[in-house]
Amino acid sequence: MGTPAVGDGGGGGVDSWKNNLGKMKRHGHALAEKVRRFPGSLWDTIWKLGRDDPRRVIHALKVGLSLTIVSLLYLMEPLFKGIGENAIWAVMTVVVVLEFTVGATLCKGLNRGLGTVLAGSLAFLIEYIAHESGQVFRAVFIGAAVFFVGAAATYMRFLPYIKKNYDYGVVIFLLTFNLITVSSYRVENVLKIAHERFYTIAIGCGICLFMSLLIFPTWSGEDLHNSTVAKLEGLAKSIEACVNEYFNDAEVEPELKKSSSEEDPIYKGYKAVLDSKSTDETLALYASWEPRHSRHCYRFPWQQYVKLGAVLRQFGYAVVALHGCLLTEIQTPRSVRGLFKDPCIRLANEVSKDLMELANSIKNRRHCSPEILSDHLHEALQDLNTAIKSQPRLFLGSNSNQASNLLALAAAHASQHQKDHGVSLSSVKTDSSALLEWKTKRASERENERKVLRPQLSKIAITSLEFSEALPFAAFASLLVEIVARLDNVIEEVEELGTIACFKEFNPGDDKIIVTCEKSKVDVTQNHLPSHPAD
């Protein structure tokens, strides 16, 4: 009896070793294939990054050129003798300050300059007070000054206005103040060091501002403007695609839809809207630092773009709920959906057309068409209302026979599912010995079986109620009407944006720009925008 066991064990060991060897070979081949494809995939990623936005390539070249220019402070002997080793601060300033957009560069550059000036002035004042005192008192005074100034500046960073606009400047203030103040205790000529550092930072900021403002500038306000247009277009495409897919004749499994949500064009359309809050606020902050560079030199209405973004997110939540109707477990039969296909598709097309008109109006900086809320939209709503009223029995509930049939179908489905997993509902109910055997053999898998059984029983409980077959469609239709209702808020915000930003009047066939705001109107609308110290 022992020999076969040894033989079996040896054979099992050999088989296990062969399986492990096969797995190692497969992993090795997969790794070699990844290494072979890595250069090509890396090049494709780099190429796609530049093709999607060529401004990234321009910005990279601008940073490289700026670093080359600022490095001349070290490479050229006359410049190095005049500035000294503190030229490294100019290089650090270019690396930190030069950002992708003009607004971000101005924000960081002015924060850095302002923090350096204030810190240097305060450090000189403390050094002047402590200079005439004794060595011990001077050390105590400098330590106390570092403590109180550091604590006060750090506490100010928690103020919302300081946190939003000058957080980087406060950090630079703390760094510069501590370097100068603490160094003054050991270094005799600290004033010269501070001057050289200030000059080098000014040189670095000057190079950054020159490159950002005059060499292919990228404006944060323009990015915020274009992102708003893209969000409106994405919502329009999502609504149209969602309704078309809902009434599509081809059956698609819900699991397949959920697994490919990242590639779903409906999801891509509204995803940018839902994720836009932090991006909009950041772009608006940087846009508030930018100078008035437009042709009419009016102030960029960054605050109104933020308000419009918030309204679009509220609108996008309804689109998300509409998309969720495609993924629900209980669906209205397609034969019933077909009764309302034409009015729903027509209504979705009208909403999409209005959103595209709003996007075009912002893109072309003109007011919306007077027919933005045309009779076609109201007619589509009326058609949907008429179609729903023409089928009252669908929405008032089904008869008992139909409910019984639904219950029977659900029970049969649950029974078949349990058989597939090795469990029979009838055997559990009638055969006590089979139940006892099942409990002893499957004790470790009981929790998994309960997880499988519970959703089936919940479906039976749902289908046993006399719910209408058209109930899921009623939710879909109500969300579609809700989208129409929220469209008014979007139109109102876009019109207000056009008034504040002095969009031209809608005039088909006329390319001449007609500015709608007189000087008095500009003054009134600007009063609604908070002042900014950068203006």
Side-chain angles (χ1 to χ4, degrees), residues 71-99:
S71 298
L72 296 177
L73 298 176
Y74 258 105
L75 300 178
M76 298 183 67
E77 190 67 24
L79 295 177
F80 182 77
K81 288 182 178 180
I83 297 178
E85 295 182 357
N86 285 307
I88 193 63
W89 290 104
V91 179
M92 293 176 60
T93 300
V94 171
V95 173
V96 173
V97 171
L98 188 54
E99 294 286 343

PDB file of all heavy atoms in Angstrom, residues 71-99:
ATOM      1  N   SER A  71      21.060  79.614 -17.545  1.00  0.00           N
ATOM      2  CA  SER A  71      22.331  78.952 -17.243  1.00  0.00           C
ATOM      3  C   SER A  71      23.528  79.789 -17.666  1.00  0.00           C
ATOM      4  O   SER A  71      24.661  79.539 -17.203  1.00  0.00           O
ATOM      5  CB  SER A  71      22.389  77.592 -17.937  1.00  0.00           C
ATOM      6  OG  SER A  71      21.365  76.744 -17.461  1.00  0.00           O
ATOM      7  N   LEU A  72      23.317  80.787 -18.524  1.00  0.00           N
ATOM      8  CA  LEU A  72      24.421  81.661 -18.925  1.00  0.00           C
ATOM      9  C   LEU A  72      24.974  82.445 -17.745  1.00  0.00           C
ATOM     10  O   LEU A  72      26.128  82.913 -17.787  1.00  0.00           O
ATOM     11  CB  LEU A  72      23.947  82.629 -20.015  1.00  0.00           C
ATOM     12  CG  LEU A  72      23.524  81.986 -21.342  1.00  0.00           C
ATOM     13  CD1 LEU A  72      23.020  83.054 -22.307  1.00  0.00           C
ATOM     14  CD2 LEU A  72      24.676  81.208 -21.959  1.00  0.00           C
ATOM     15  N   LEU A  73      24.173  82.611 -16.701  1.00  0.00           N
ATOM     16  CA  LEU A  73      24.670  83.283 -15.504  1.00  0.00           C
ATOM     17  C   LEU A  73      25.827  82.514 -14.877  1.00  0.00           C
ATOM     18  O   LEU A  73      26.677  83.096 -14.191  1.00  0.00           O
ATOM     19  CB  LEU A  73      23.541  83.448 -14.484  1.00  0.00           C
ATOM     20  CG  LEU A  73      22.340  84.303 -14.917  1.00  0.00           C
ATOM     21  CD1 LEU A  73      21.259  84.290 -13.846  1.00  0.00           C
ATOM     22  CD2 LEU A  73      22.776  85.738 -15.208  1.00  0.00           C
ATOM     23  N   TYR A  74      25.827  81.203 -15.071  1.00  0.00           N
ATOM     24  CA  TYR A  74      26.934  80.373 -14.603  1.00  0.00           C
ATOM     25  C   TYR A  74      28.007  80.192 -15.678  1.00  0.00           C
ATOM     26  O   TYR A  74      29.201  80.189 -15.386  1.00  0.00           O
ATOM     27  CB  TYR A  74      26.407  78.990 -14.199  1.00  0.00           C
ATOM     28  CG  TYR A  74      26.269  78.799 -12.715  1.00  0.00           C
ATOM     29  CD1 TYR A  74      25.029  78.820 -12.105  1.00  0.00           C
ATOM     30  CD2 TYR A  74      27.376  78.597 -11.918  1.00  0.00           C
ATOM     31  CE1 TYR A  74      24.888  78.641 -10.739  1.00  0.00           C
ATOM     32  CE2 TYR A  74      27.257  78.411 -10.554  1.00  0.00           C
ATOM     33  CZ  TYR A  74      26.002  78.439  -9.957  1.00  0.00           C
ATOM     34  OH  TYR A  74      25.890  78.263  -8.606  1.00  0.00           O
ATOM     35  N   LEU A  75      27.569  80.043 -16.928  1.00  0.00           N
ATOM     36  CA  LEU A  75      28.516  79.681 -17.986  1.00  0.00           C
ATOM     37  C   LEU A  75      29.364  80.848 -18.453  1.00  0.00           C
ATOM     38  O   LEU A  75      30.520  80.661 -18.849  1.00  0.00           O
ATOM     39  CB  LEU A  75      27.730  79.093 -19.175  1.00  0.00           C
ATOM     40  CG  LEU A  75      26.901  77.832 -18.868  1.00  0.00           C
ATOM     41  CD1 LEU A  75      26.133  77.385 -20.095  1.00  0.00           C
ATOM     42  CD2 LEU A  75      27.810  76.710 -18.364  1.00  0.00           C
ATOM     43  N   MET A  76      28.827  82.055 -18.418  1.00  0.00           N
ATOM     44  CA  MET A  76      29.575  83.235 -18.870  1.00  0.00           C
ATOM     45  C   MET A  76      30.306  83.861 -17.680  1.00  0.00           C
ATOM     46  O   MET A  76      29.684  84.200 -16.663  1.00  0.00           O
ATOM     47  CB  MET A  76      28.639  84.242 -19.532  1.00  0.00           C
ATOM     48  CG  MET A  76      27.950  83.687 -20.781  1.00  0.00           C
ATOM     49  SD  MET A  76      26.922  84.905 -21.617  1.00  0.00           S
ATOM     50  CE  MET A  76      28.171  86.055 -22.197  1.00  0.00           C
ATOM     51  N   GLU A  77      31.610  84.020 -17.841  1.00  0.00           N
ATOM     52  CA  GLU A  77      32.451  84.492 -16.732  1.00  0.00           C
ATOM     53  C   GLU A  77      32.078  85.873 -16.225  1.00  0.00           C
ATOM     54  O   GLU A  77      32.004  86.090 -15.004  1.00  0.00           O
ATOM     55  CB  GLU A  77      33.924  84.469 -17.178  1.00  0.00           C
ATOM     56  CG  GLU A  77      34.919  84.697 -16.053  1.00  0.00           C
ATOM     57  CD  GLU A  77      34.927  83.561 -15.055  1.00  0.00           C
ATOM     58  OE1 GLU A  77      34.529  82.441 -15.433  1.00  0.00           O
ATOM     59  OE2 GLU A  77      35.312  83.795 -13.888  1.00  0.00           O
ATOM     60  N   PRO A  78      31.812  86.877 -17.104  1.00  0.00           N
ATOM     61  CA  PRO A  78      31.453  88.208 -16.572  1.00  0.00           C
ATOM     62  C   PRO A  78      30.175  88.180 -15.737  1.00  0.00           C
ATOM     63  O   PRO A  78      30.095  88.849 -14.701  1.00  0.00           O
ATOM     64  CB  PRO A  78      31.284  89.066 -17.835  1.00  0.00           C
ATOM     65  CG  PRO A  78      32.085  88.361 -18.871  1.00  0.00           C
ATOM     66  CD  PRO A  78      31.954  86.908 -18.563  1.00  0.00           C
ATOM     67  N   LEU A  79      29.166  87.414 -16.185  1.00  0.00           N
ATOM     68  CA  LEU A  79      27.913  87.338 -15.428  1.00  0.00           C
ATOM     69  C   LEU A  79      28.117  86.608 -14.108  1.00  0.00           C
ATOM     70  O   LEU A  79      27.542  86.982 -13.078  1.00  0.00           O
ATOM     71  CB  LEU A  79      26.841  86.631 -16.260  1.00  0.00           C
ATOM     72  CG  LEU A  79      26.401  87.352 -17.540  1.00  0.00           C
ATOM     73  CD1 LEU A  79      25.384  86.510 -18.300  1.00  0.00           C
ATOM     74  CD2 LEU A  79      25.807  88.713 -17.205  1.00  0.00           C
ATOM     75  N   PHE A  80      28.974  85.570 -14.113  1.00  0.00           N
ATOM     76  CA  PHE A  80      29.207  84.820 -12.882  1.00  0.00           C
ATOM     77  C   PHE A  80      29.949  85.661 -11.847  1.00  0.00           C
ATOM     78  O   PHE A  80      29.672  85.581 -10.644  1.00  0.00           O
ATOM     79  CB  PHE A  80      29.995  83.547 -13.193  1.00  0.00           C
ATOM     80  CG  PHE A  80      30.249  82.693 -11.993  1.00  0.00           C
ATOM     81  CD1 PHE A  80      29.244  81.904 -11.459  1.00  0.00           C
ATOM     82  CD2 PHE A  80      31.503  82.687 -11.376  1.00  0.00           C
ATOM     83  CE1 PHE A  80      29.480  81.114 -10.343  1.00  0.00           C
ATOM     84  CE2 PHE A  80      31.738  81.903 -10.263  1.00  0.00           C
ATOM     85  CZ  PHE A  80      30.719  81.111  -9.741  1.00  0.00           C
ATOM     86  N   LYS A  81      30.888  86.489 -12.306  1.00  0.00           N
ATOM     87  CA  LYS A  81      31.606  87.358 -11.375  1.00  0.00           C
ATOM     88  C   LYS A  81      30.688  88.411 -10.769  1.00  0.00           C
ATOM     89  O   LYS A  81      30.867  88.810  -9.627  1.00  0.00           O
ATOM     90  CB  LYS A  81      32.760  88.039 -12.104  1.00  0.00           C
ATOM     91  CG  LYS A  81      33.913  87.101 -12.430  1.00  0.00           C
ATOM     92  CD  LYS A  81      35.044  87.859 -13.099  1.00  0.00           C
ATOM     93  CE  LYS A  81      36.238  86.919 -13.379  1.00  0.00           C
ATOM     94  NZ  LYS A  81      37.352  87.646 -14.036  1.00  0.00           N
ATOM     95  N   GLY A  82      29.706  88.892 -11.560  1.00  0.00           N
ATOM     96  CA  GLY A  82      28.808  89.912 -11.046  1.00  0.00           C
ATOM     97  C   GLY A  82      27.768  89.380 -10.071  1.00  0.00           C
ATOM     98  O   GLY A  82      27.370  90.084  -9.144  1.00  0.00           O
ATOM     99  N   ILE A  83      27.333  88.122 -10.278  1.00  0.00           N
ATOM    100  CA  ILE A  83      26.254  87.569  -9.444  1.00  0.00           C
ATOM    101  C   ILE A  83      26.784  86.548  -8.454  1.00  0.00           C
ATOM    102  O   ILE A  83      26.340  86.488  -7.308  1.00  0.00           O
ATOM    103  CB  ILE A  83      25.164  86.941 -10.347  1.00  0.00           C
ATOM    104  CG1 ILE A  83      24.529  88.030 -11.213  1.00  0.00           C
ATOM    105  CG2 ILE A  83      24.105  86.238  -9.512  1.00  0.00           C
ATOM    106  CD1 ILE A  83      23.492  87.519 -12.162  1.00  0.00           C
ATOM    107  N   GLY A  84      27.728  85.739  -8.863  1.00  0.00           N
ATOM    108  CA  GLY A  84      28.295  84.759  -7.958  1.00  0.00           C
ATOM    109  C   GLY A  84      27.496  83.474  -7.927  1.00  0.00           C
ATOM    110  O   GLY A  84      26.659  83.186  -8.801  1.00  0.00           O
ATOM    111  N   GLU A  85      27.753  82.688  -6.901  1.00  0.00           N
ATOM    112  CA  GLU A  85      27.118  81.383  -6.794  1.00  0.00           C
ATOM    113  C   GLU A  85      25.613  81.475  -6.551  1.00  0.00           C
ATOM    114  O   GLU A  85      24.909  80.466  -6.683  1.00  0.00           O
ATOM    115  CB  GLU A  85      27.772  80.583  -5.662  1.00  0.00           C
ATOM    116  CG  GLU A  85      29.226  80.239  -5.938  1.00  0.00           C
ATOM    117  CD  GLU A  85      29.823  79.398  -4.826  1.00  0.00           C
ATOM    118  OE1 GLU A  85      29.096  79.158  -3.834  1.00  0.00           O
ATOM    119  OE2 GLU A  85      30.988  78.986  -4.950  1.00  0.00           O
ATOM    120  N   ASN A  86      25.107  82.637  -6.193  1.00  0.00           N
ATOM    121  CA  ASN A  86      23.661  82.789  -5.999  1.00  0.00           C
ATOM    122  C   ASN A  86      22.884  82.716  -7.317  1.00  0.00           C
ATOM    123  O   ASN A  86      21.652  82.804  -7.315  1.00  0.00           O
ATOM    124  CB  ASN A  86      23.356  84.125  -5.316  1.00  0.00           C
ATOM    125  CG  ASN A  86      23.700  84.100  -3.833  1.00  0.00           C
ATOM    126  OD1 ASN A  86      23.259  83.222  -3.101  1.00  0.00           O
ATOM    127  ND2 ASN A  86      24.535  85.033  -3.404  1.00  0.00           N
ATOM    128  N   ALA A  87      23.594  82.578  -8.440  1.00  0.00           N
ATOM    129  CA  ALA A  87      22.912  82.404  -9.724  1.00  0.00           C
ATOM    130  C   ALA A  87      22.059  81.147  -9.749  1.00  0.00           C
ATOM    131  O   ALA A  87      21.146  81.026 -10.577  1.00  0.00           O
ATOM    132  CB  ALA A  87      23.933  82.364 -10.861  1.00  0.00           C
ATOM    133  N   ILE A  88      22.335  80.226  -8.836  1.00  0.00           N
ATOM    134  CA  ILE A  88      21.534  78.992  -8.802  1.00  0.00           C
ATOM    135  C   ILE A  88      20.084  79.294  -8.476  1.00  0.00           C
ATOM    136  O   ILE A  88      19.172  78.555  -8.861  1.00  0.00           O
ATOM    137  CB  ILE A  88      22.143  78.011  -7.777  1.00  0.00           C
ATOM    138  CG1 ILE A  88      21.533  76.617  -7.940  1.00  0.00           C
ATOM    139  CG2 ILE A  88      21.947  78.517  -6.359  1.00  0.00           C
ATOM    140  CD1 ILE A  88      21.801  75.969  -9.244  1.00  0.00           C
ATOM    141  N   TRP A  89      19.825  80.411  -7.751  1.00  0.00           N
ATOM    142  CA  TRP A  89      18.447  80.777  -7.426  1.00  0.00           C
ATOM    143  C   TRP A  89      17.663  81.155  -8.670  1.00  0.00           C
ATOM    144  O   TRP A  89      16.453  80.965  -8.733  1.00  0.00           O
ATOM    145  CB  TRP A  89      18.426  81.923  -6.417  1.00  0.00           C
ATOM    146  CG  TRP A  89      18.898  81.517  -5.056  1.00  0.00           C
ATOM    147  CD1 TRP A  89      20.100  81.797  -4.486  1.00  0.00           C
ATOM    148  CD2 TRP A  89      18.168  80.747  -4.113  1.00  0.00           C
ATOM    149  NE1 TRP A  89      20.179  81.242  -3.237  1.00  0.00           N
ATOM    150  CE2 TRP A  89      19.004  80.595  -2.982  1.00  0.00           C
ATOM    151  CE3 TRP A  89      16.909  80.163  -4.097  1.00  0.00           C
ATOM    152  CZ2 TRP A  89      18.608  79.889  -1.850  1.00  0.00           C
ATOM    153  CZ3 TRP A  89      16.523  79.466  -2.970  1.00  0.00           C
ATOM    154  CH2 TRP A  89      17.355  79.332  -1.871  1.00  0.00           C
ATOM    155  N   ALA A  90      18.330  81.699  -9.684  1.00  0.00           N
ATOM    156  CA  ALA A  90      17.655  82.023 -10.940  1.00  0.00           C
ATOM    157  C   ALA A  90      17.209  80.748 -11.650  1.00  0.00           C
ATOM    158  O   ALA A  90      16.107  80.675 -12.211  1.00  0.00           O
ATOM    159  CB  ALA A  90      18.574  82.843 -11.839  1.00  0.00           C
ATOM    160  N   VAL A  91      18.083  79.724 -11.631  1.00  0.00           N
ATOM    161  CA  VAL A  91      17.724  78.444 -12.245  1.00  0.00           C
ATOM    162  C   VAL A  91      16.544  77.814 -11.510  1.00  0.00           C
ATOM    163  O   VAL A  91      15.584  77.325 -12.129  1.00  0.00           O
ATOM    164  CB  VAL A  91      18.945  77.501 -12.248  1.00  0.00           C
ATOM    165  CG1 VAL A  91      18.574  76.158 -12.855  1.00  0.00           C
ATOM    166  CG2 VAL A  91      20.109  78.127 -13.008  1.00  0.00           C
ATOM    167  N   MET A  92      16.581  77.834 -10.193  1.00  0.00           N
ATOM    168  CA  MET A  92      15.484  77.279  -9.412  1.00  0.00           C
ATOM    169  C   MET A  92      14.186  78.036  -9.673  1.00  0.00           C
ATOM    170  O   MET A  92      13.103  77.444  -9.744  1.00  0.00           O
ATOM    171  CB  MET A  92      15.831  77.312  -7.925  1.00  0.00           C
ATOM    172  CG  MET A  92      16.972  76.388  -7.537  1.00  0.00           C
ATOM    173  SD  MET A  92      17.427  76.556  -5.796  1.00  0.00           S
ATOM    174  CE  MET A  92      15.863  76.101  -5.028  1.00  0.00           C
ATOM    175  N   THR A  93      14.273  79.347  -9.833  1.00  0.00           N
ATOM    176  CA  THR A  93      13.072  80.148 -10.094  1.00  0.00           C
ATOM    177  C   THR A  93      12.437  79.770 -11.421  1.00  0.00           C
ATOM    178  O   THR A  93      11.213  79.643 -11.524  1.00  0.00           O
ATOM    179  CB  THR A  93      13.435  81.640 -10.081  1.00  0.00           C
ATOM    180  OG1 THR A  93      13.965  81.984  -8.804  1.00  0.00           O
ATOM    181  CG2 THR A  93      12.205  82.494 -10.361  1.00  0.00           C
ATOM    182  N   VAL A  94      13.247  79.565 -12.457  1.00  0.00           N
ATOM    183  CA  VAL A  94      12.706  79.181 -13.765  1.00  0.00           C
ATOM    184  C   VAL A  94      12.030  77.813 -13.681  1.00  0.00           C
ATOM    185  O   VAL A  94      10.937  77.603 -14.233  1.00  0.00           O
ATOM    186  CB  VAL A  94      13.829  79.181 -14.823  1.00  0.00           C
ATOM    187  CG1 VAL A  94      13.330  78.561 -16.127  1.00  0.00           C
ATOM    188  CG2 VAL A  94      14.316  80.590 -15.074  1.00  0.00           C
ATOM    189  N   VAL A  95      12.658  76.888 -12.985  1.00  0.00           N
ATOM    190  CA  VAL A  95      12.084  75.548 -12.878  1.00  0.00           C
ATOM    191  C   VAL A  95      10.747  75.578 -12.154  1.00  0.00           C
ATOM    192  O   VAL A  95       9.789  74.891 -12.538  1.00  0.00           O
ATOM    193  CB  VAL A  95      13.071  74.609 -12.155  1.00  0.00           C
ATOM    194  CG1 VAL A  95      12.419  73.256 -11.872  1.00  0.00           C
ATOM    195  CG2 VAL A  95      14.328  74.409 -12.981  1.00  0.00           C
ATOM    196  N   VAL A  96      10.631  76.394 -11.104  1.00  0.00           N
ATOM    197  CA  VAL A  96       9.435  76.403 -10.272  1.00  0.00           C
ATOM    198  C   VAL A  96       8.345  77.291 -10.853  1.00  0.00           C
ATOM    199  O   VAL A  96       7.156  76.935 -10.820  1.00  0.00           O
ATOM    200  CB  VAL A  96       9.797  76.862  -8.840  1.00  0.00           C
ATOM    201  CG1 VAL A  96       8.544  77.045  -7.996  1.00  0.00           C
ATOM    202  CG2 VAL A  96      10.721  75.861  -8.178  1.00  0.00           C
ATOM    203  N   VAL A  97       8.698  78.440 -11.426  1.00  0.00           N
ATOM    204  CA  VAL A  97       7.714  79.463 -11.788  1.00  0.00           C
ATOM    205  C   VAL A  97       7.126  79.243 -13.173  1.00  0.00           C
ATOM    206  O   VAL A  97       5.921  79.448 -13.377  1.00  0.00           O
ATOM    207  CB  VAL A  97       8.346  80.864 -11.681  1.00  0.00           C
ATOM    208  CG1 VAL A  97       7.420  81.927 -12.258  1.00  0.00           C
ATOM    209  CG2 VAL A  97       8.659  81.176 -10.224  1.00  0.00           C
ATOM    210  N   LEU A  98       7.919  78.840 -14.138  1.00  0.00           N
ATOM    211  CA  LEU A  98       7.438  78.760 -15.522  1.00  0.00           C
ATOM    212  C   LEU A  98       6.426  77.627 -15.656  1.00  0.00           C
ATOM    213  O   LEU A  98       6.784  76.440 -15.678  1.00  0.00           O
ATOM    214  CB  LEU A  98       8.607  78.547 -16.483  1.00  0.00           C
ATOM    215  CG  LEU A  98       8.267  78.635 -17.980  1.00  0.00           C
ATOM    216  CD1 LEU A  98       7.564  79.941 -18.312  1.00  0.00           C
ATOM    217  CD2 LEU A  98       9.517  78.479 -18.827  1.00  0.00           C
ATOM    218  N   GLU A  99       5.156  77.993 -15.757  1.00  0.00           N
ATOM    219  CA  GLU A  99       4.066  77.027 -15.861  1.00  0.00           C
ATOM    220  C   GLU A  99       3.510  76.992 -17.273  1.00  0.00           C
ATOM    221  O   GLU A  99       3.929  77.746 -18.156  1.00  0.00           O
ATOM    222  CB  GLU A  99       2.959  77.385 -14.858  1.00  0.00           C
ATOM    223  CG  GLU A  99       3.370  77.243 -13.404  1.00  0.00           C
ATOM    224  CD  GLU A  99       3.455  75.802 -12.966  1.00  0.00           C
ATOM    225  OE1 GLU A  99       2.899  74.934 -13.653  1.00  0.00           O
ATOM    226  OE2 GLU A  99       4.076  75.537 -11.919  1.00  0.00           O
TER     227      GLU A  99
END
